[in-house]
Structures are given as structure tokens and as C-alpha cells.
Amino acid sequence: MTALRQETRPALAPQDFRDAMALLAAPVSVVTALDPDGRRRGFTASSVTSVSLDPPLIMVGVALTSSCHPAVTTAGEFVLNVLGEGHRAVARRFATQGVDRFAGCGFADWEEAGTPCLPDAALLVRCRTARIVRAGDHDLILGTPVEIRTGDPASAPLLWYRRGFHTAREHAN
């Protein structure tokens, strides 16, 4: 019997990892919440995924350095606004620092909750925060969906791929 040889590999450089992840297409969303003073907060996110069907859970990654981190991690509720092909300007605006991200973007308040939402988004999911898990330089927010609204099924999703916005329609055929 031979001993199992353990090999240690050098750690991957952050830029190498970033370059590799640029090849992983991801839907683009804007995550919104209210801060403790009731002010609207939101950011563009591509680190969003379903986690579990039973119970239903959605995961959103937010950088510890994000200006929205304190609001989103303490709000208790957030809205996942999944963007469609017509929302490139919204995605860019919510990725820009130092601007009023909500100005002129068409956001409304989710009726009883008051959390901001984009009525013409491809998908809206209002979530209650279930748990927050620290993962490196991000917090992963696990949310329990409490209400879902779907938009136009003919709209192509907005995707983040190779450090730019794309739609599946652009690459068809």
C-alpha cells in the first residue's frame, strides 16, 4: 500500500481568479433595501443565485466595502430586481458610486413593505433576510422569498459576461 501524496498548489492570484470568473455569465440584478432611516439603498449584483427549494432560499453576495453593505445587511428585508435587456442604464447607475442611484430610474415602493422595486423588472423577489454568512471579502445574504412578481416573459435577461452587459439575443445564431 502506498501513502497518498498531498500536493500543495500555490494560491491563485486574485487577478487570475477575476479573469476566470469573467467567463462565467451571470444574470444582472439590482438589490434594494431601506436603511435604518428609511432611505432607499441599492446596488448592482451579479452574485445572486437560488440556494434551496425546501425551504426556498436566495443568496445575494455584497462586498464588505460596498456603501450599501450596512443597509442591506441590517434591513431585515430586500428586493431582488432581476434586470432585462432594457435595463443597461439602470445596471450602470446602480454600479456607480457618488450618485443618487434611484433618480430617474422608475423605482416605486413595494406596497405594504415600502422597499424600493423596479416595476418593469424581468423578475421581482421580495425577501426576508434569513441568515448572513461571512465569506472572504463578502457577506452572503440568504433570503426567504415572501412575494414574487414576474415581468414580460419575452424580455431577454441582462447578463454580465466578460466584464460587460449582454443579452442572450445578441449572441443567438
Side-chain angles (χ1 to χ4, degrees):
M1 186 177 253
T2 57
L4 183 62
R5 182 187 303 182
Q6 284 189 330
E7 295 183 32
T8 56
R9 296 170 47 164
L12 189 63
Q15 189 58 49
D16 292 340
F17 181 70
R18 179 176 281 161
D19 291 344
M21 292 299 98
L23 301 176
L24 181 63
V28 179
S29 301
V30 166
V31 177
T32 56
L34 295 174
D35 73 11
D37 296 323
R39 292 180 302 224
R40 295 170 155 195
R41 302 302 304 249
F43 66 98
T44 300
S46 59
S47 295
V48 174
T49 191
S50 64
V51 174
S52 171
L53 293 175
D54 187 15
L57 289 171
I58 289 175
M59 188 276 310
V60 173
V62 58
L64 300 176
T65 58
S66 169
S67 62
C68 294
H69 180 274
V72 174
T73 57
T74 61
E77 178 175 295
F78 62 91
V79 173
L80 177 65
N81 300 269
V82 180
L83 304 183
E85 60 190 328
H87 294 120
R88 288 175 199 236
V90 173
R92 280 188 202 97
R93 184 163 194 88
F94 275 77
T96 303
Q97 295 182 358
V99 299
D100 178 354
R101 294 176 176 172
F102 291 92
C105 290
F107 277 78
D109 293 339
W110 200 294
E111 293 84 20
E112 65 281 353
T115 310
C117 64
L118 186 61
D120 67 340
L123 172 66
L124 294 169
V125 185
R126 186 169 68 94
C127 296
R128 191 170 303 119
T129 301
R131 186 171 179 202
I132 298 173
V133 178
R134 179 67 43 94
D137 61 359
H138 278 62
D139 272 343
L140 306 179
I141 304 168
L142 298 175
T144 302
V146 294
E147 197 170 348
I148 294 174
R149 297 179 186 166
T150 57
D152 180 2
S155 176
L158 186 62
L159 303 173
W160 182 251
Y161 177 66
R162 293 188 176 213
R163 297 182 179 90
F165 297 114
H166 302 273
T167 68
R169 260 194 254 286
E170 295 169 348
H171 298 286
N173 301 341

